[in-house]
């Protein structure tokens, strides 16, 4: 047996053991239900990740609803791209970050009107996936009542998936979620003086 | 002045100051170049985030190349969805995680063949965005020479963006990157016994 053969044999044995462990975990995870996913933290990629899931869902023939709170980035690439698709409903509900609008009452009013639209999707079982993009800000600033939001999400159709994005997800939202990822900002091109780039940031 | 007027006035003032700071940072960030983004960590959403950026780029009329290393999930939603698009080139290069194939030599050979395809996209300026999905595993297991990979990425066309995903990105890759996000697994439905779901995990 050559050294290389030996290395390969040990690799195969180790991987067979690993596969057995993973297969067992897969067999144990046998429940199906609509998930609540939360993508939070200061790192780049929260909304992108939600939109990647939208692509996944559309690829499975599912119907997707998107509600963008706070940001009113009406000319972004993802919106231009997805809006063409017949199986997605896309709502831009906010007018910009609160430091752009500088009008709290208007922000509150917009958030409440926005939630009515989100709630319609959260009560319609024809939506397989509902994305509530940048929702955390409306909860954290008190534009929406956090308990009402959580109750409306909890009352959704049993197989509907919901993805919530935004910084600083509240403990209540984290407790309610099935899956939570915190995106940590390890490094950002912005701090090196590089401007927001189409296809990456926009 | 009512209490509510006062609250709104203070809010407007605070937000005006915040806007000035942000506007100044935007003005300072004036460089444009192709970015290297790394999405790493154990949390769910790394590949989804990369595919969300693919959607963004396509929405801007850009051309996108995708190379999926390691995972051979040929029936996933994102692939079904994006493959229909004329402006994307999609390559599935691996045959499955190493614990599925259990054949190190074959994994190494596949990774090297895969890198030739990736390298072709990394030398073609018509690609505005190249996604190297799950690349970190091939570097960390030594299937590909890490220095060669980093040199090929560094030598790409100056305006081309590259997104690398996968757990445990090496320090060399982090040092080379413009933007790095670490996705932390705060909570995962899997551990509560919920199986992988189409539109979310597949």
């Amino acid at each position: 047996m050559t050294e290389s053969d030996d290395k390969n044999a040990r690799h195969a044995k180790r991987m067979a053991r690993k596969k057995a462990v993973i297969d067992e975990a897969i067999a144990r995870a046998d429940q199906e239900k609509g998930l609540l996913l939360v993508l939070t933290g200061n790192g780049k990629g929260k909304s992108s990740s939600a939109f990647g899931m939208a692509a996944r869902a559309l690829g499975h023939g599912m119907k997707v609803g998107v509600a963008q709170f706070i940001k009113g980035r009406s000319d972004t690439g993802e919106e231009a791209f997805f809006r063409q698709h017949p199986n997605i409903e896309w709502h831009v509900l906010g007018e910009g970050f609160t430091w752009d609008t500088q009008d709290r009452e208007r922000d509150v009013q917009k958030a409440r009107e926005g939630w009515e639209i989100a709630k319609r999707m959260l009560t319609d079982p024809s939506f397989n996936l509902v994305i509530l993009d940048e929702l955390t800000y409306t909860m954290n600033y008190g534009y929406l009542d956090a308990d009402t939001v959580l109750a409306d999400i909890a009352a959704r159709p049993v197989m509907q998936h919901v993805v919530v994005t935004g910084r600083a997800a509240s403990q209540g939202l984290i407790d309610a979620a099935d899956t939570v990822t915190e995106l940590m900002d390890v490094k950002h091109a912005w701090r090196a003086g590089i401007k927001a780039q189409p296809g990456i940031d926009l």
Side-chain angles (χ1 to χ4, degrees), chain A residues 81 138 141 148 193 199:
Chain A
F81 180 72
T138 65
Y141 293 160
T148 306

Side-chain angles (χ1 to χ4, degrees), chain A residues 130-146:
Chain A
V130 176
I131 294 173
L132 305 171
D133 187 39
E134 315 282 8
L135 178 68
T136 59
Y137 304 95
T138 65
M139 297 169 77
N140 296 346
Y141 293 160
Y143 294 176
L144 296 176
D145 177 61

Side-chain angles (χ1 to χ4, degrees), chain A residues 11-181:
Chain A
H11 174 85
K13 204 167 166 184
R14 207 166 52 238
M15 290 304 130
R17 274 199 303 268
K18 185 158 184 174
K19 182 170 161 52
V21 170
I22 290 169
D23 286 350
E24 202 188 303
I26 290 171
R28 256 200 318 268
D30 59 355
Q31 294 176 52
E32 286 186 76
K33 65 163 194 164
L35 299 178
L36 173 60
L37 282 93
V38 174
L39 295 155
T40 191
N42 297 339
K44 178 185 166 42
K46 297 180 288 295
S47 297
S48 305
S49 190
F51 297 132
M53 290 178 218
R56 263 187 193 157
L58 292 171
H60 284 285
M62 294 171 158
K63 183 173 169 189
V64 178
V66 175
Q68 287 195 293
F69 290 88
I70 308 288
K71 279 187 196 170
R73 309 166 304 167
S74 59
D75 56 347
T76 55
E78 65 268 28
E79 189 186 354
F81 180 72
F82 283 116
R83 267 211 196 273
Q84 303 162 11
H85 201 283
N87 254 3
I88 199 164
E89 205 180 289
W90 193 289
H91 300 276
V92 179
L93 304 171
E95 294 186 314
F97 273 103
T98 183
W99 52 85
D100 286 322
T101 63
Q102 299 174 25
D103 183 340
R104 190 175 194 278
E105 280 193 354
R106 195 175 165 85
D107 289 347
V108 169
Q109 190 200 322
K110 280 280 155 191
R112 290 187 185 160
E113 287 168 18
W115 190 250
E116 289 310 306
I117 293 169
K119 205 172 154 180
R120 182 179 52 70
M121 300 194 288
L122 291 170
T123 50
D124 177 352
S126 77
F127 285 97
N128 304 100
L129 169 63
V130 176
I131 294 173
L132 305 171
D133 187 39
E134 315 282 8
L135 178 68
T136 59
Y137 304 95
T138 65
M139 297 169 77
N140 296 346
Y141 293 160
Y143 294 176
L144 296 176
D145 177 61
D147 290 338
T148 306
V149 166
L150 292 177
D152 289 343
I153 291 175
R156 73 190 187 279
V158 66
M159 289 307 296
Q160 187 181 76
H161 302 300
V162 171
V163 179
V164 174
T165 78
R167 293 184 180 207
S170 65
Q171 193 58 48
L173 185 56
I174 289 171
D175 290 344
D178 298 289
T179 295
V180 179
T181 302

